[in-house]
Amino acid sequence: MEQKVQGVSTGVYRYTHRREGGADIHDVLVEKSLFRVLLSCIGAALLLGNVCRALLSKETLCLGSFWSVSFSAIIAKWLEYKPVKKESLMIMPDFGIQLEQHFWSGRVHCQFVPISKLLKPLLNECVTPVTCYWSLALLLRNEDELMLVFKKLHPPVKMLVPIWKALCAFTNSDDISPSVVSRPDDLHELVDQDGALES
């Protein structure tokens, strides 16, 4: 029994939700952009050119060449094209969940987590010196570290909230009811001083 596909789209990511054969499938797809691929190639060429210029020049390596190569590496990393086409979460009742990464090359990486290992899903706000983004993680039984649901992609919180709610319903986590978070913007109001969601 298939259900109609529901989804949300931003400029970079597209979220779709569907039900197939008893499984609840949540996909986050990267919108392919020829411009981003072109920028990625330009960034890699810039880095390669600066490294070759620094190594092949008649002068000895100096502080200026170090900064030039470092700056080029930062620009190349910023312009890097992510090879992931989509990441999926498939909730299979009575079995567990399957995480999938689909690459533009056609390669697929799958990881299955049995229902007996799942404790609870967590919606985290990750802060780095440069950016801030939301991530969805799983707290697993007998594991020291959290498992990220989306390992390569960083979709916005408005795409993560419905997936988080579905995982909470699946694992019977009753920490927060669906009616408490009416809009993704309301999550900032529910975060206490420690960064945990208040119920």
Side-chain angles (χ1 to χ4, degrees):
M1 178 175 140
E2 280 191 36
Q3 184 185 11
K4 187 177 177 182
V5 176
Q6 302 171 350
V8 175
S9 182
T10 65
V12 178
Y13 299 109
R14 187 175 72 226
Y15 163 71
T16 60
H17 173 237
R18 65 186 190 282
R19 296 182 196 276
E20 279 182 16
D24 194 17
I25 303 170
H26 301 268
D27 296 320
V28 175
L29 298 97
V30 177
E31 299 285 350
K32 190 169 185 176
S33 168
L34 186 58
F35 183 68
R36 290 184 64 191
V37 173
L38 183 64
L39 280 180
S40 176
C41 292
I42 290 171
L46 177 71
L47 174 62
L48 184 62
N50 273 337
V51 168
C52 288
R53 183 186 58 81
L55 293 177
L56 298 175
S57 68
K58 301 286 183 195
E59 308 168 1
T60 60
L61 293 177
C62 63
L63 188 60
S65 61
F66 172 74
W67 286 113
S68 176
V69 170
S70 299
F71 179 72
S72 297
I74 291 170
I75 295 297
K77 181 65 178 164
W78 181 66
L79 296 174
E80 180 184 25
Y81 184 69
K82 295 191 179 0
V84 176
K85 181 179 183 179
K86 78 173 181 175
E87 290 194 70
S88 300
L89 168 82
M90 182 185 306
I91 300 174
M92 297 175 278
D94 301 327
F95 295 109
I97 62 169
Q98 181 166 318
L99 306 173
E100 296 179 358
Q101 289 179 330
H102 298 260
F103 295 88
W104 288 108
S105 64
R107 186 172 57 108
V108 178
H109 180 263
C110 299
Q111 184 175 8
F112 179 76
V113 181
I115 194 169
S116 60
K117 282 192 86 169
L118 291 172
L119 288 176
K120 113 190 244 187
L122 303 171
L123 196 55
N124 295 322
E125 186 172 13
C126 303
V127 179
T128 68
V130 180
T131 185
C132 177
Y133 61 91
W134 288 86
S135 69
L136 184 60
L138 300 173
L139 185 60
L140 301 176
R141 188 171 277 118
N142 299 327
E143 294 288 331
D144 293 336
E145 295 182 4
L146 297 174
M147 175 187 284
L148 291 177
V149 173
F150 301 108
K151 294 172 178 55
K152 300 284 186 188
L153 305 180
H154 301 296
V157 71
K158 70 179 179 181
M159 293 182 183
L160 293 175
V161 168
I163 303 169
W164 174 69
K165 286 181 182 179
L167 283 169
C168 284
F170 177 67
T171 59
N172 294 324
S173 297
D174 54 356
D175 287 347
I176 189 166
S177 65
S179 62
V180 173
V181 180
S182 58
R183 295 185 339 240
D185 299 339
D186 294 341
L187 283 175
H188 292 287
E189 298 169 8
L190 293 172
V191 177
D192 64 6
Q193 300 295 345
D194 298 335
L197 288 173
E198 297 175 351
S199 55

